[in-house]
Amino acid sequence: DAKTTQPPSMDCAEGRAANLPCNHSTISGNEYVYWYRQIHSQGPQYIIHGLKNNETNEMASLIITEDRKSSTLILPHATLRDTAVYYCIVSPSGNEKLTFGTGTRLTIIP
Amino acid sequence: SQTIHQWPATLVQPVGSPLSLECTVEGTSNPNLYWYRQAAGRGLQLLFYSVGIGQISSEVPQNLSASRPQDRQFILSSKKLLLSDSGFYLCAWSNGGLSGNTIYFGEGSWLTVV
């Protein structure tokens, strides 16, 4: 019961922006949207998170719709090293368990 | 800065043998601790999580167990391994903060039961 829906796979050309969608229509008011990615045979890596406002850091941008029922992770200039499985999860603050879905397998094409 | 380590990185164990995977966190206190498992080509399955010493919540029925003997130590064990226990095991921690619950993962342990 991951509470998010993501496409199983996507391709993106190297150097282009990669836009990864996520639906979280049952999100609660106190739940944050988190994005992680997992490169093969490694532990998942934190990318970005947000509550209501759009967020940007050195890795990516997060766009959250006004009704908060969906979001998009944007990798502005994808490189081959961005090939990974990207997980979108919703999580409240505090001592709550975090449950991952199956994510989106993003392949960057040269 | 906070760090998380788990070991061993890889191991091959016969069916019916015991298992012990260990995880420690440095640079923080009273973290939430997690054990996840990832079967080949699958997503992350939460096995156990702990909000404090001696407090363990099990998410799925299985022949694995977890213990938290110290604040920053989390151990995954089994008395008798099954073939289906093979997979990639990940320890993780979070601080349960009020501004979100970012989770940080260890390097992972590959377990092959033969």
Side-chain angles (χ1 to χ4, degrees):
Chain A
D1 184 13
K3 301 196 290 185
T4 62
T5 304
Q6 299 177 254
S9 64
M10 292 181 63
D11 293 338
C12 178
E14 187 179 15
R16 303 296 294 271
N19 297 278
L20 293 94
C22 180
N23 288 324
H24 31 80
S25 58
T26 61
I27 191 170
S28 301
N30 67 340
E31 288 183 317
Y32 289 75
V33 179
Y34 273 84
W35 283 85
Y36 294 82
R37 73 179 183 184
Q38 185 177 24
I39 296 171
H40 184 60
S41 300
Q42 298 181 21
Q45 175 192 23
Y46 165 80
I47 301 173
I48 199 168
H49 76 285
L51 183 63
K52 295 181 181 178
N53 300 322
N54 298 336
E55 302 288 345
T56 296
N57 62 20
E58 64 279 3
M59 291 183 66
S61 294
L62 174 61
I63 309 298
I64 303 174
T65 58
E66 191 170 346
D67 63 7
R68 302 211 321 124
K69 292 185 177 181
S70 65
S71 62
T72 301
L73 178 74
I74 301 172
L75 308 178
H77 303 286
T79 71
L80 297 179
R81 286 182 291 183
D82 292 322
T83 292
V85 177
Y86 287 76
Y87 296 97
C88 166
I89 66 173
V90 294
S91 168
S93 59
N95 295 329
E96 293 288 339
K97 61 186 179 182
L98 301 175
T99 305
F100 287 73
T102 54
T104 296
R105 182 172 298 278
L106 175 67
T107 302
I108 306 302
I109 302 171
Chain B
S1 63
Q2 301 88 359
T3 58
I4 179 170
H5 297 289
Q6 64 177 102
W7 66 93
T10 60
L11 67 164
V12 179
Q13 295 285 103
V15 169
S17 65
L19 170 73
S20 181
L21 299 179
E22 190 165 342
C23 172
T24 59
V25 180
E26 299 294 331
T28 188
S29 59
N30 196 31
N32 299 328
L33 296 173
Y34 309 81
W35 278 111
Y36 288 86
R37 176 171 62 197
Q38 187 171 38
R42 305 291 294 276
L44 292 163
Q45 179 186 35
L46 178 62
L47 301 176
F48 300 96
Y49 80 106
S50 170
V51 299
I53 295 175
Q55 301 178 60
I56 311 293
S57 294
S58 175
E59 293 301 303
V60 293
Q62 59 205 319
N63 70 322
L64 299 171
S65 62
S67 62
R68 184 170 178 173
Q70 301 180 47
D71 181 44
R72 293 169 294 176
Q73 184 184 27
F74 207 23
I75 298 172
L76 183 69
S77 304
S78 174
K79 293 182 179 178
K80 291 184 177 182
L81 284 169
L82 306 173
L83 287 175
S84 57
D85 291 324
S86 293
F88 189 45
Y89 287 81
L90 287 155
C91 181
W93 75 273
S94 67
N95 60 12
L98 295 178
S99 61
N101 199 15
T102 303
I103 188 168
Y104 302 94
F105 288 84
E107 307 92 337
S109 298
W110 284 101
L111 169 65
T112 303
V113 183
V114 296

